[in-house]
Amino acid sequence: MTTLNTLLEGRRSQPQQLVEVLQDLQDLHGYLPEDAMNTVALELGVPLMEVYRVACFYKCFSLKPRGKNVITVCTGTACHVRGANLLIDQVQGQLNIKPGTTTEDGLFTVECVNCVGACALGPVVVQNGSYSHHMTPGKLRKMIDTTRKTKKEASHEQAQSKR
Ligand code: FES
């Protein structure tokens, strides 16, 4: 099992490894826990302020726990003029959360970004790294319903196999 200790193996006292270590930490926990960031600063020999600066600079890092599914709605100019605000309304209505927050069951986190680099295909939604283009509120509703159903079935099967 991967732990922070194993992540740091061979990287201690190597400040240039900071971004890679934070990426691995993000993959491990789904976010960057405060105590782990302190340890990374100490072990790599990087000022804690610099660790936070890097963590806040890159959109791929989160300082708060995220849901199992991260839905990112692009609200950049090209997507905005093609109806990104309708997609925000859809997720807010369907999941009952605002962008930047996570559902109570921990299944979904919704985020907004300014551009994901696929402007010609907008509006764009990214779910767990997978891009969906020319998105409509109806397609988004189906995507969320399908994800919810798939996760429910997976946990049901998991519960059955434990019996
Ligand atoms: S503005 Fe949405 S992909 Fe560029």
Side-chain angles (χ1 to χ4, degrees):
M1 195 175 114
T2 309
T3 62
L4 177 55
N5 224 11
T6 53
L7 278 185
L8 290 167
E9 273 171 25
R11 294 163 146 177
R12 289 186 167 85
S13 304
Q14 296 182 47
Q16 73 278 12
Q17 291 284 326
L18 178 60
V19 174
E20 286 81 2
V21 169
L22 291 181
Q23 277 171 337
D24 290 347
L25 195 58
Q26 173 82 34
D27 289 345
L28 183 63
H29 296 287
Y31 75 109
L32 302 175
E34 190 181 334
D35 55 344
M37 300 239 293
N38 291 335
T39 306
V40 167
L42 278 175
E43 296 287 347
L44 295 188
V46 177
L48 187 57
M49 189 71 117
E50 175 65 6
V51 176
Y52 273 90
R53 193 193 65 74
V54 170
C56 293
F57 179 78
Y58 292 104
K59 280 273 180 197
C60 59
F61 297 134
S62 173
L63 300 181
K64 290 188 289 189
R66 287 161 136 187
K68 290 189 180 82
N69 297 281
V70 179
I71 295 176
T72 306
V73 180
C74 179
T75 52
T77 308
C79 289
H80 176 75
V81 298
R82 292 181 180 142
N85 56 331
L86 299 176
L87 303 177
I88 299 288
D89 290 347
Q90 176 61 38
V91 280
Q92 285 194 156
Q94 192 172 358
L95 297 175
N96 205 21
I97 56 170
K98 292 197 179 317
T101 60
T102 300
T103 53
E104 273 180 23
D105 60 5
L107 203 49
F108 294 98
T109 293
V110 176
E111 296 176 341
C112 294
V113 289
N114 281 330
C115 182
V116 293
C119 305
L121 304 173
V124 178
V125 169
V126 184
Q127 185 179 23
N128 304 328
S130 166
Y131 283 55
S132 298
H133 52 82
H134 299 113
M135 195 47 117
T136 62
K139 285 187 197 172
L140 185 54
R141 180 178 44 75
K142 268 191 207 153
M143 187 175 94
I144 292 170
D145 283 344
T146 304
T147 304
R148 197 180 258 151
K149 198 173 155 212
T150 308
K151 293 288 174 184
K152 260 192 195 154
E153 284 169 4
S155 10
H156 182 70
E157 277 169 25
Q158 220 172 18
Q160 295 284 355
S161 69
K162 284 183 182 168
R163 289 185 182 167

